[in-house]
Structures are given as structure tokens and as C-alpha cells.
Amino acid sequence: MTSIVWQRRRAAVSSTWREFTRNRGGLVGLVVLGVVVVLALLAPLVTDATGLDVTKAAGDRWQPPSGEYWFGTDHTGRSVLLLTWWGSRISLLIGLTATVLSVAIGTLVGVTAAHFGGWASAGLMWVTNFFLVLPSLVLAIALSTVLPRGIGTIVLAIGVTSWASSARLVRAQTLSVEARPFIERAKVLGGGHAHVIGRHVLPAVLPLVFVNTTLTVANAIVAEATLSFLGLGDPSMVSWGSMLRAANLHGAVSQRAWWFLLPPGLGVVVIVLAFTLVGRALETVLNPRLRGDR
Amino acid sequence: MSPLLELRGLGVRYRTDRGEVTAVRDVDLVLEAGETLGLAGESGCGKSTLAMSVLRLLPKSARVDGEVLLDGEDVVTMGWGRLRAVRWARASVVFQGAMHALNPVRRVGEQIAEPIRLHGGTARVADLLDQVELPAAKARSYPHELSGGQKQRIMIAMALACDPKLVIADEPTTALDVIVQAQVLGVLSRLVAEQGIGLVMISHDLSVLASTCDRLAVMRHGRIVEQGPARSVIAAPTHPHTQALAAAFPVVGDPAFRQVEPDEVRESTPLLRAEGLRVDYRGRGGVVSAVKGVDLEIGSGEIVALVGESGSGKTTTARALLGLRPPTAGRVLFEGADLPTSSKGLREYRRQVQLVLQDPTSALNPRHTVYESVAEGLRIHRVPGDEAALVADALAKAELRPPEEFFPVLPHELSGGQRQRVVIAGALALGPRLLVADEPVASLDASVRGEILALLLRLRRELGLAALIITHDLGLAWSIADRVAVMHEGVLVEQGTVEQVLLDPSHEYTRRLLAAVPSTTP
Amino acid sequence: MLRHVAGKLGGAVAGVAAVVVLGFFLFRMIPGDPTVTMTRGRQVDEAQIAELRALHGYDRPIVEQFGKYVGGLLRGDMGTSLFYRRTVAELIGERVGPTLLLVGTSTLIAVTLGLWLGIRGAWRRDSLFDRTSTGVALLGWAMPAFWLGMLLSMVTGDLFPSGGMRFSSTPPGFWPQALDVAHHMVLPSLTLIAVVYAQYQLVMRSSLLEEMNADYLTTARAKGLRDDQVRRRHAVPNALLPTVTLVFLHIGLVVTGAITVETVYSWPGLGLLTYEALAGPDLPLLQGTFVVLAGSVIVMNVLADLLYQVLDPRVRAS
């Protein structure tokens, strides 16, 4: 029997994939993401991390792009190409882990608030709405000021402040699934909470969570860059945000050092755009309501 | 002089992802001024597409062939400006489901006045409201503040706003209760007759059409299979599909539609009993009693119909009997013992009493195969034995044969009737003694209703399965129930054997209900 | 209705109270007391820490500190800034105006622009206009505000001033001053608009797309309305309602943008003040800006909720 089930699932996945590949934007986004991830993973193998050390910088300060330094050098004479390359690792790492944290909290809160009614659920919804409205960056700033600097702090600060929209989304979806008669049928058959959530709610909610995850990564990466730009990042690590911070503090604008400004910013834009395109494409595939026929 | 409406070789195709789908093919139809025509058919037969094509309201993906002549003028080739001038002024539409057909954020008075202002003329909203028997003050209401019947009257007033010569009514009373339906149909027929308007009325319900229209046309698979004077089409249908449709709407009191032999009602021991059952809801405006003290008994192997209009509390009663909603007062006894309140006890109880829901499409998880859906109960209760064999057995009992072929099928690949059989099979898998069926055929096409009802009767005969059937349809009760209980505003106003209650009603409400049922025999 | 309003106002009070409580405990959540944060990474001896503690009352029991903090807030006293040596309330009072000006102007323009683009795009779904405007919006949305800010000021060069709010050389008088401020505000507001308008456009677009298949639009067409009348009179009023809620829900994001934009352009508002408080860190000041920014966003949202009650007849009735 299970083989039939698996065949069904495989067929479902492959039809989703076919549907997805029809969306050109999503496909482009996916390819870009693939390339960026591979490059980020390869960085320690292909390049030499000692070039990131200020004391061992080989080049002159503010050197425009040349054959030797493709992207020029920064205010300490380090290669901007190398910095950008290594910076992608931190952006991706923090973006992904913070998203996992945020979506996990959001899903848990959303399903719980929708499935079990009563006071506890009302309380959870109040907290969710509170966090939804609260300017998340302001809270994240406060959190990362108080906690010791480091990757963990940034992940925590982003994750803890950005889960509310996932929670709201998951709650709405759970409510709409639970309003369907097949849930009542499952209850009449004798199914308890675990059965209803495990067999009916989660399978229906997870595709949406997946889409939401992709879109949340984009937010998390921008949030990471912003926090680092404000000087709340890990001072020992190079990230795109910290590069832009340096550019701002050391007058890259007045120096007209476009080569120091463009690569990290474009890095953020490209990754965020790629995640967004993939997310939107997935959304149209997995959420048939958006597939209008007119 | 050209007829009011003439369709010549009309065909409509939709472009979809899976190629072209033909919705209407080669339809010829003539309607003279002041004539009323009923268009009958099951869902998906193309009757709504046909209606929409008259004013060219089809979605962009539609391709239209043939001619739609309105007063001799072809709508299909009309320019946009001319088309806009013709819309609503020459012909207007009473849409299906007034809930969605009215703009939720604008007052209904404005919405009635809008076409008048557009086509020139003085807004006479109060007058129009008066015609549909609504007070003029209702013009200031928003749609959500009105009842279903009132909204449908608003739609009728709106349709008459520009004095059209033709009105198309698309399932105008589908979601309404019988008594309200009778009132709305009365208003519509009166106005159409008074003002000499031509009417095309679309419905799946032959009895509704028979009571309002002179002529009938029956559609199937996009074609008109039979047409003629309403009386003769219903009395002597020639096409088998028309016969099936006619048979699906039992006439209360007609022995030909009674499927239960009187002697089939044996003495039975009480199975499920409600005593002084009361259920309160805590709403915004305080406590509302949905069920106000109900005494009801279902014997083993007995089929009881609980009849009432929407909001009468019949569904809440069913939920309380199933233990899905704790009663505020009173008790429910199964085989003489109080219903358990612990979740473990309730789980055991579920093996005895099962539910069949109204809409099988939403009662099945669209991601689960037939096998998974039927096995769901078995898995929850960890029923010992060969799961596949038990599932096959349940499917066979629900007349899905050969059962193995249905195992890997997903619900959307089944017809409505088959889906309802899967739901029933899922209930049967647990070997229950009683089925509670909430409007078990209301969302099914007319031609398969009979089959599902026959299945319930056969299950009773062969397995001794008792059933409580919740329905708004008196004809349904007449056709398969042993006893009837009539519910109104949370109270059982009358109960007894089918013959007693439906042929010789003692309560005034039952009489009103019976009088409102549209009948195919005028 | 009245009960509903009262409930909402109660919610607002609870929300602001939560911000106040959060503002207190957030800065005390690590072991020890805020002096640990304030002196992190610096050479300080025990005596200096003790002095700091005594100065801010961190040596008192936590309940007493909290009571003092809440009492102070109620009187409008949020403590004294370490860096400026002035009261936090005074500093915030000075900076509120510029932020309101910048955020208000930008939000107004961004909402108008976003809604207009969203409506046009949805009505002609998948047209060239729709594709292009959605693409541009996504691009703007993907950009970190501060990066776009730096880029803009580098590209425009000396065309616009790239820092501050006015030149000290500008003659007094309303018009010269106003023009000077407007001149300074061009780049910051452009940046902020570019980054935030996308969300309004996307929300409006999808909201309108949801309404596009609604039955009442068929009714409107059947009545003989022109396409633009159907859109203006029926589709947009319905689609606008959910958008209103989201516009206000996203105010938090605009505030986020304002912090970095003000930082890049040295716009003397609350955002820049927050950034200045980070160096140090100047905890009393940071606490003050946190409470004021978060509190006002919460109040704005409650106002939006009440506005929604007035706009949507369906909610109004219940």
C-alpha cells in the first residue's frame, strides 16, 4: 500500500517541479541561488583567508579595479573581491539559520493558536499581533546591543523578532483547513489532536510554510546586513553589512569609491531578489488560489 | 417581428491548460416576448454558460460560435458601446447566490439605482423595493445585513430597474429554505406576468421550474436533449435523462416515490435517545439557544428524518447526538447508557455511531487516496485484522466495485456520487450501528441522489444499520424515512410516522412547510 | 460598537504597557546589570562600575528600579543620556519633528504611488506594465535602504546636500528655511520611498487580483458599466479594505527604513538618535527611543484598526 502512496507523492513533487519550471523568474532565481551557494561553499578551498586580515593587506588603499584587484581595494588595502566572496558566507549562514528559527517559532505558535481555542490561544494571538506590529529592527537592535556580539546573537535577534508574520499566516491556513468538513469527519472517526494535526493540518500547511521560509530568508538577509551596518554584527567576521559600514564610516561616498560600495550591496540585492523570485514562483505553484484562469 | 431571444447554433468552448473544453454545443432556442422558459440540467451541463452568453458575460477564455439574437440583434458581434447599452436595459440577470453577486461594501439602494442612472431615467428605488415587497428603508442596508431571501428580492428589484424585456434568472432560489423559496418564486412570477417580461429560469430542480415556467428545456453535456411545454415534459418525459431528473424529486404523498414498505417498519429496541436536549451558544449578543429541549429516539434499524429549515437547530442536534458538542442540559443515551464524556469513552462510542456529511467533496481530504480515507478510522482505532481486506470490504459494501481499483484514486478523480460512497465506506469500516447523515444528497446531482438513498436503504436491510437523516427536503423524508421529526426554532414541533406527519400534519408549521414545497404536479 | 472601541483602546493600553515592560527588562536580561553592557570591551575598574551603578540606581532592588522607571515614564522622565548629559525626553522631543516630517512625507508618497501601480498592474494582469512595475518594485524591495542611500548620494554628487537638515548659512524666515529643508529631504525621502513603496504595490495588486473573479463584478458588468467604472466603483473599494490594514501593519518596516536612512544622511531624527545611542552604548537613550518608537507604532496601529471599523460596513455593524 505504501508504495502507491509514495508513487503519488513522487508524482505530486514532479508535477510541482514542472509547474515551477514554467515560471521563468523562479527558475532564474533558483539558478542564481545555486551558483551563489556553491561559490560560498568553495571560498575556503579556492581563496586564502589571510587576505581578510587588515594587518596582512597587500594592496594600497582605495585602489580602483585593476587586473590584480578585480574589484579594487578598500580603505585598508584589502581586496574587495575577497571580502565580498567571504561575506556571502556570513549573509547566507545567518539568513538561513535565523529563518529556520523564525519559521519554527511561527509554525509552532500558529498551529497551536489555531488548533486549540480558548484563552491560551487568544493570549498567543495577542503576543503574535504585538510582535507583528512592533518595529522588528528596533527590537533586534535592542537585543543585539544587550547580548554579547556574535553570530548567535544576530541569529537570535532576527529570529525572535520576525516570527510573527509566519505565525499569522500559519494560523490563518490552519484555521481554514480546520474549518473543512474532513476535519470533522476525522474527529467523528475518533481522531484526537495528534491525528488531526499530524495527518490533516500539517500536510496542508507545510507547503505554505515552505514558501514562507523562502520569502523570510530574503528578509533575514536584509536584516543581517542592516544590523551589521549599524555596528551590531560580529566584529571578527566580514559580512556584506560590515563592509558597507566600513564604506560609510571611512568615506567611500566622498572618495567616489564605487567599487567598494557596489559589490556588497549588489550581493544583498541579488540574493534577496533570487530568494524572492523563487518564493513567489513557489507561491503561485503551491497556492492554487493565485492561479487565476482569466 | 423577431422573437425576444433566439439562439442559433450556439456553441461555447473554454481554453484551459488541458486544451479546449466544450461547455455548450449547437443549441437552438427561441423565446417569444412574455414567455417563460425553464432550463434544467445538472451541474456542469452548460446551463449557466448558456445564460452568461446572452449578455456576453463569459470569461475571456471562452470562444463563442453561432448567434445570440436579442430582438433580432446579434450580441456576439456587437460593438462594446452597443453591448453596454443593451446590457441590463434590454435584458438583465438575477444571479445565483445573491450573497456574492452584490457588492458587500455598498448600500443595496445605490446598487439598484446604479443601472438606472447609467442608462438614463429616474431612480425609483423605493418603488422597486415595494414591488418585491420590501420596505423602502432597506435601501440603506448593506448586503450582509439582509437575509438570503431579502438579498434575492434585492437582486430581482435590481434586475427590473431598467424595465427590461427579458430577465435571466440563474438558480435564483438555490440556497434558500422552502418557505422563503416559495415567496421569492411568487414575487418573481407575479412581476414577470404583470409586466409581460420574458423569463429564462435556470435550475437543477425540475419542481421549481415546473411551478414557474410554461416551457421546459433539459440540458445535458452542453446540448438540449428535450424541450416542450412544462406539463408534458414532466408528465411524459421522453429522454432517459429527463426521466432520471424527474424521478430525483419525490412528490410528497405519491406512493410511487415511497421506497419503504409500511410492513418493513418492525418493532425495534431503542438505540439512541435524547431527553430534554438543550444546546446554548455563547455569541456576541449573549447566549443563544440553538436547541431548546428536544426528545428524540432512534430505534435499531430505523430510519428517522429530522426535517427543518436552516437555523432550526437540526444540525446542532446532530452534533450533540454525536458527542461533538456537549449539551447544555438534558442527556443523550446510547443503548440506555449516558454518552461518555472522556475522550477515550467517546472514541469507543464513535465505533457505534458515524457521521456522513453533506458535501463529500470537502468531507474527504483532497490529498488522501480512497484507501487512506477509508482506512483512517481503522488506523485510529487500531482495528485488528488485514487492513486492506477490511478497506476492500467496506468499499464493496458501499457498492464501489471492484474495491481494489479505487484504492489509489484521489477524491478529485471521482464523481460526486462515488465520493459520497467513499465517505460512507469510511464510516462502514468501523462497523457502526447508526449513521447520522447530514443532508447526505443535497450537494449531489439529481440523477445520483436516488442511488445513494437506495444504498442507505440496502444497508439498513442487510446490516440492520439505523440512520438519522438531517434534511430540509420533505420529499427525501417521504421517500426513505420510517419516522419524521419536524424541527422549528430549536423545538421539535411534531414527530411521528412518515404517513402521519406528511399526509396528516397536526402542527401549523408542518402545514406551511408542506404547502411551500414546489411541486411538479400543478 | 462603543464596546468594541473600548476594547481596542484597552488593547492599545495593554500594548503600550507591554512595550514599557519590554523596554525595562530587555536591557536587564543578561546576568548582572546594564553596566556590564555599557562597559563591555572597555578598561574599567570596580570603582568606576560602582559609580555608574549608583548614578543610574542599578544598585537598588529590581522592583524599586521598575517602579521608579514606570513612575518616571508617567511624568515624562526617561532618565539622562550618558553621552549628551541631557534628559532623554528633551533629546527625543527635539528629534521627533524631523522624523515625522521625513516618514510622513515618504509614507504618503509611497502609499499613493504603490496603490496606483498596484491597481493598474492587477487590472491588466501580466501586461508589460504589470511585469515591469512588479519587477522594479521587487528590485527596490530587495535593496537595503542604507546602501541605496549611499549610492544615491554618490551618484547625484553635489546636486543635493547629503547630510543634515539645513545649512547654517540659510537666512532665517519661513520660505528660505522651508526650501532648504525640502532640498535636504530630497535624497532621504527618495531612498525611503524606493525601499518601502513596493509592499504597498504588491499588497494592493494581490488584493485586487483576489477580487477580480468576484461575482459582484460580473453583476456590475452585466449592468452595462464601463471597465474603468467597474474597477473604480466596485473592485477597488473592496480591494482597498484589506490593504488599509496592511499599510498600517507595515509602519514598523518604514520605521526600520527610517533608522538606516537617517543614519546615512545624518538626518537629525529619532533614527539617527537611536544610532547614536548604539555607540557607547548609551542605554538610557536607547531605552527611550525604543519605548517611543515601538509605542507610537502600536498606537498608530490601533488608530488604523479604528479607521477600518469606520471604512468597512461589515465590521461596522457587528
Side-chain angles (χ1 to χ4, degrees):
Chain A
M1 244 6 269
T2 43
S3 69
I4 293 177
V5 174
W6 279 110
Q7 256 171 24
R8 279 272 172 209
R9 299 220 170 115
R10 245 195 320 269
V13 167
S14 73
S15 93
T16 306
W17 170 248
R18 262 200 313 280
E19 210 44 70
F20 180 85
T21 50
R22 265 194 243 162
N23 187 313
R24 207 172 337 136
L27 209 56
V28 169
L30 195 65
V31 170
V32 170
L33 277 186
V35 171
V36 172
V37 168
V38 168
L39 280 179
L41 289 176
L42 285 181
L45 302 177
V46 196
T47 64
D48 186 4
T50 53
L52 299 173
D53 193 336
V54 187
T55 54
K56 294 188 183 118
D60 293 331
R61 311 175 62 216
W62 298 124
Q63 240 179 292
S66 62
E68 190 185 356
Y69 297 106
W70 291 359
F71 288 4
T73 62
D74 72 348
H75 59 289
T76 59
R78 291 178 293 177
S79 157
V80 174
L81 174 63
L82 194 69
L83 290 172
T84 311
W85 197 334
W86 279 79
S88 69
R89 292 167 61 88
I90 298 298
S91 282
L92 281 174
L93 178 71
I94 293 183
L96 290 171
T97 30
T99 301
V100 169
L101 180 65
S102 156
V103 171
I105 301 177
T107 309
L108 189 70
V109 171
V111 170
T112 316
H115 182 79
F116 306 95
W119 284 105
S121 147
L124 272 181
M125 263 338 277
W126 193 86
V127 174
T128 307
N129 281 330
F130 178 71
F131 272 92
L132 196 65
V133 168
L134 211 62
S136 53
L137 183 73
V138 178
L139 186 58
I141 285 176
L143 267 177
S144 25
T145 313
V146 177
L147 297 174
R149 298 272 191 280
I151 290 185
T153 296
I154 295 213
V155 167
L156 196 74
I158 298 175
V160 164
T161 54
S162 64
W163 54 270
S165 61
S166 312
R168 210 166 89 130
L169 201 73
V170 169
R171 174 176 172 270
Q173 179 75 2
T174 307
L175 281 179
S176 94
V177 172
E178 296 222 349
R180 309 272 293 280
F182 62 76
I183 298 292
E184 187 171 38
R185 175 175 176 267
K187 285 183 188 154
V188 173
L189 287 170
H193 295 303
H195 176 83
V196 169
I197 293 181
R199 292 286 296 156
H200 295 283
V201 173
L202 279 185
V205 169
L206 283 181
L208 196 80
V209 169
F210 187 51
V211 171
N212 184 242
T213 307
T214 331
L215 293 173
T216 308
V217 178
N219 281 329
I221 286 175
V222 174
E224 185 277 330
T226 308
L227 286 176
S228 299
F229 174 76
L230 294 176
L232 298 169
D234 186 336
S236 64
M237 299 272 197
V238 177
S239 83
W240 290 338
S242 68
M243 287 172 73
L244 288 170
R245 175 180 173 77
N248 191 42
L249 286 181
H250 297 99
V253 172
S254 50
Q255 298 269 356
R256 312 243 156 215
W258 53 270
W259 58 89
F260 190 31
L261 216 49
L262 277 183
L266 279 180
V268 174
V269 171
V270 165
I271 288 207
V272 168
L273 216 51
F275 270 113
T276 309
L277 286 176
V278 171
R280 284 171 65 90
L282 277 176
E283 202 169 21
T284 23
V285 175
L286 295 176
N287 188 355
R289 229 159 33 103
L290 295 176
R291 258 192 267 161
D293 53 353
R294 293 192 182 193
Chain B
M1 198 181 133
S2 46
L4 182 60
L5 174 69
E6 184 176 4
L7 308 181
R8 280 192 201 151
L10 181 72
V12 182
R13 289 164 295 151
Y14 290 107
R15 270 179 294 115
T16 68
D17 293 345
R18 281 157 287 130
E20 283 202 336
V21 177
T22 308
V24 172
R25 59 186 93 202
D26 208 19
V27 165
D28 295 305
L29 210 62
V30 179
L31 186 77
E32 297 295 343
E35 220 185 0
T36 53
L37 170 75
L39 200 56
E42 300 186 332
S43 58
C45 74
K47 56 189 195 302
S48 285
T49 299
L50 190 73
M52 292 295 119
S53 63
V54 173
L55 285 180
R56 224 163 94 190
L57 291 168
L58 298 168
K60 281 187 189 123
S61 60
R63 288 283 163 275
V64 180
D65 304 313
E67 290 171 273
V68 178
L69 301 176
L70 209 55
D71 277 333
E73 210 177 337
D74 191 0
V75 176
V76 178
T77 54
M78 228 176 241
W80 280 108
R82 178 70 192 139
L83 181 66
R84 279 201 298 272
V86 164
R87 282 178 176 176
W88 222 257
R90 292 279 197 82
S92 61
V93 188
V94 176
F95 286 99
Q96 177 177 11
M99 183 68 226
H100 305 292
L102 291 170
N103 187 335
V105 301
R106 297 185 63 199
R107 294 179 199 279
V108 293
E110 292 169 29
Q111 299 191 49
I112 295 175
E114 186 173 32
I116 309 178
R117 243 178 263 129
L118 195 72
H119 294 283
T122 46
R124 42 187 188 98
V125 174
D127 183 32
L128 285 164
L129 286 176
D130 185 51
Q131 286 184 13
V132 295
E133 294 160 18
L134 282 177
K138 288 285 178 210
R140 294 191 49 75
S141 306
Y142 288 97
H144 69 273
E145 296 166 344
L146 301 173
S147 70
Q150 287 173 329
K151 269 182 290 211
Q152 209 58 60
R153 284 159 194 256
I154 296 286
M155 284 303 294
I156 294 174
M158 196 149 86
L160 299 177
C162 298
D163 294 319
K165 286 282 141 242
L166 172 66
V167 170
I168 297 163
D170 186 1
E171 301 269 11
T173 59
T174 298
L176 303 179
D177 283 320
V178 249
I179 294 180
V180 181
Q181 164 171 301
Q183 292 164 350
V184 170
L185 286 178
V187 167
L188 186 61
S189 313
R190 178 173 59 76
L191 290 172
V192 165
E194 277 173 14
Q195 308 183 7
I197 296 172
L199 173 73
V200 176
M201 179 134 114
I202 294 165
S203 178
H204 65 284
D205 188 337
L206 271 187
S207 52
V208 165
L209 296 179
S211 59
T212 33
C213 297
D214 311 328
R215 276 202 306 134
L216 267 186
V218 180
M219 275 189 89
R220 189 183 197 199
H221 300 326
R223 285 180 213 280
I224 290 187
V225 294
E226 182 166 0
Q227 63 171 311
R231 222 165 272 204
S232 65
V233 169
I234 287 178
T238 53
H239 193 276
H241 186 63
T242 319
Q243 289 163 0
L245 282 183
F249 295 95
V251 180
V252 175
D254 185 342
F257 287 104
R258 184 98 173 108
Q259 298 185 35
V260 186
E261 301 297 318
D263 55 315
E264 218 179 302
V265 187
R266 305 129 298 189
E267 62 219 70
S268 58
T269 52
L271 191 63
L272 188 68
R273 242 180 102 75
E275 288 175 6
L277 186 69
R278 184 182 178 91
V279 183
D280 293 346
Y281 282 102
R282 217 172 301 130
R284 277 201 176 188
V287 177
V288 182
S289 290
V291 180
K292 305 168 186 163
V294 160
D295 297 301
L296 186 68
E297 188 178 298
I298 301 140
S300 59
E302 192 182 28
I303 296 184
V304 178
L306 182 59
V307 179
E309 295 182 279
S310 57
S312 63
K314 56 188 197 304
T315 299
T316 310
T317 307
R319 299 289 184 276
L321 293 179
L322 283 161
L324 284 172
R325 233 205 122 73
T328 316
R331 52 205 286 227
V332 178
L333 301 140
F334 184 75
E335 294 194 307
D338 272 307
L339 224 62
T341 47
S342 70
S343 57
K344 191 163 172 289
L346 271 175
R347 183 175 297 190
E348 276 314 299
Y349 174 61
R350 304 265 187 256
R351 295 201 56 174
Q352 305 292 328
V353 180
Q354 271 298 315
L355 173 70
V356 174
L357 288 155
Q358 169 173 1
D359 179 11
T361 309
S362 51
L364 293 172
N365 189 329
R367 295 156 193 275
H368 289 184
T369 61
V370 167
Y371 182 91
E372 288 172 283
S373 287
V374 176
E376 190 171 358
L378 297 172
R379 289 177 186 169
I380 290 169
H381 292 279
R382 302 208 175 79
V383 175
D386 180 8
E387 191 181 271
L390 289 170
V391 171
D393 182 50
L395 284 171
K397 277 181 190 152
E399 295 170 349
L400 289 170
R401 297 196 185 91
E404 284 77 12
E405 276 183 21
F406 288 93
F407 281 3
V409 178
L410 285 175
H412 69 85
E413 297 161 327
L414 296 169
S415 70
Q418 287 174 322
R419 281 179 215 153
Q420 194 61 297
R421 286 171 194 275
V422 174
V423 174
I424 293 174
L428 291 179
L430 291 175
R433 313 258 309 272
L434 170 68
L435 277 189
V436 176
D438 189 356
E439 303 276 8
V441 296
S443 64
L444 298 180
D445 273 330
S447 53
V448 294
R449 286 181 183 203
E451 297 172 19
I452 296 293
L453 296 181
L455 172 65
L456 289 176
L457 282 170
R458 203 176 55 78
L459 289 174
R460 183 257 283 272
R461 210 163 42 236
E462 289 173 8
L463 305 174
L465 192 61
L468 173 68
I469 295 177
I470 320 280
T471 181
H472 68 284
D473 184 352
L474 291 173
L476 176 82
W478 170 258
S479 111
I480 69 162
D482 303 319
R483 286 196 304 120
V484 180
V486 181
M487 199 160 181
H488 180 51
E489 290 179 349
V491 180
L492 283 189
V493 295
E494 183 167 3
Q495 59 176 315
T497 66
V498 167
E499 283 81 4
Q500 270 168 16
V501 175
L502 297 185
L503 298 182
D504 184 20
S506 62
H507 195 275
E508 201 265 321
Y509 176 73
T510 318
R511 274 184 228 128
R512 262 171 55 208
L513 212 53
L514 278 163
V517 174
S519 168
T520 46
T521 47
Chain C
M1 181 70 204
L2 215 69
R3 238 183 70 197
H4 195 78
V5 172
K8 286 286 167 203
L9 290 180
V13 171
V16 172
V19 167
V20 167
V21 173
L22 202 60
F24 180 78
F25 288 101
L26 199 58
F27 296 98
R28 285 167 180 77
M29 58 185 264
I30 52 163
D33 58 49
T35 50
V36 178
T37 308
M38 286 196 250
T39 55
R40 185 184 295 140
R42 256 181 261 160
Q43 291 290 325
V44 276
D45 55 39
E46 279 300 314
Q48 279 170 304
I49 289 188
E51 192 189 336
L52 254 178
R53 257 188 207 138
L55 180 66
H56 295 281
Y58 296 144
D59 49 352
R60 315 297 306 167
I62 195 101
V63 180
E64 190 188 322
Q65 285 184 44
F66 185 67
K68 208 167 153 253
Y69 159 82
V70 174
L73 270 181
L74 288 177
R75 289 192 313 272
D77 175 11
M78 292 185 268
T80 311
S81 157
L82 298 179
F83 175 72
Y84 284 98
R85 306 270 169 198
R86 290 169 60 196
T87 66
V88 171
E90 205 178 284
L91 284 166
I92 289 178
E94 278 172 16
R95 302 292 188 97
V96 164
T99 293
L100 275 182
L101 183 67
L102 176 64
V103 169
T105 317
S106 311
T107 308
L108 211 63
I109 299 176
V111 168
T112 317
L113 181 72
L115 296 191
W116 182 74
L117 289 171
I119 291 169
R120 271 207 65 177
W123 203 254
R124 298 265 168 264
R125 189 186 184 179
D126 288 336
S127 64
L128 185 69
F129 178 85
D130 183 29
R131 282 164 195 275
T132 324
S133 65
T134 309
V136 172
L138 285 179
L139 191 68
W141 188 75
M143 285 186 209
F146 53 90
W147 179 66
L148 182 64
M150 289 195 271
L151 220 55
L152 275 181
S153 63
M154 189 160 85
V155 171
T156 54
D158 297 330
L159 210 55
F160 299 102
S162 60
M165 190 167 157
R166 64 188 100 195
F167 293 118
S168 51
S169 57
T170 312
F174 179 76
W175 285 113
Q177 288 284 335
L179 272 177
D180 190 28
V181 170
H183 193 204
H184 276 84
M185 206 168 74
V186 171
L187 286 185
S189 50
L190 261 185
T191 312
L192 203 49
I193 292 166
V195 180
V196 299
Y197 87 91
Q199 33 181 326
Y200 305 124
Q201 177 185 342
L202 297 178
V203 167
M204 185 70 222
R205 180 178 177 273
S206 62
S207 175
L208 192 55
L209 282 180
E210 292 235 325
E211 297 291 329
M212 293 285 278
N213 293 328
D215 289 340
Y216 63 82
L217 292 188
T218 311
T219 310
R221 282 198 191 95
K223 286 178 182 172
L225 262 67
R226 278 200 316 275
D227 208 38
D228 62 307
Q229 290 171 320
V230 173
R231 179 178 65 200
R232 209 176 52 240
R233 294 193 199 166
H234 293 276
V236 171
N238 272 284
L240 212 49
L241 289 173
T243 315
V244 169
T245 325
L246 282 161
V247 163
F248 281 92
L249 217 51
H250 286 165
I251 284 186
L253 292 175
V254 182
V255 168
T256 298
I259 292 178
T260 54
V261 169
E262 286 185 7
T263 304
V264 169
Y265 290 107
S266 320
W267 182 264
L270 285 177
L272 186 62
L273 194 63
T274 308
Y275 177 70
E276 287 164 352
L278 290 181
D282 189 342
L283 284 190
L285 187 55
L286 195 57
Q287 193 175 36
T289 55
F290 172 82
V291 170
V292 167
L293 283 177
S296 49
V297 168
I298 290 204
V299 170
M300 290 290 280
N301 269 279
V302 174
L303 291 181
D305 232 22
L306 292 176
L307 175 72
Y308 192 83
Q309 312 287 317
V310 179
L311 289 181
D312 192 340
R314 283 163 295 189
V315 188
R316 209 187 308 162
S318 57

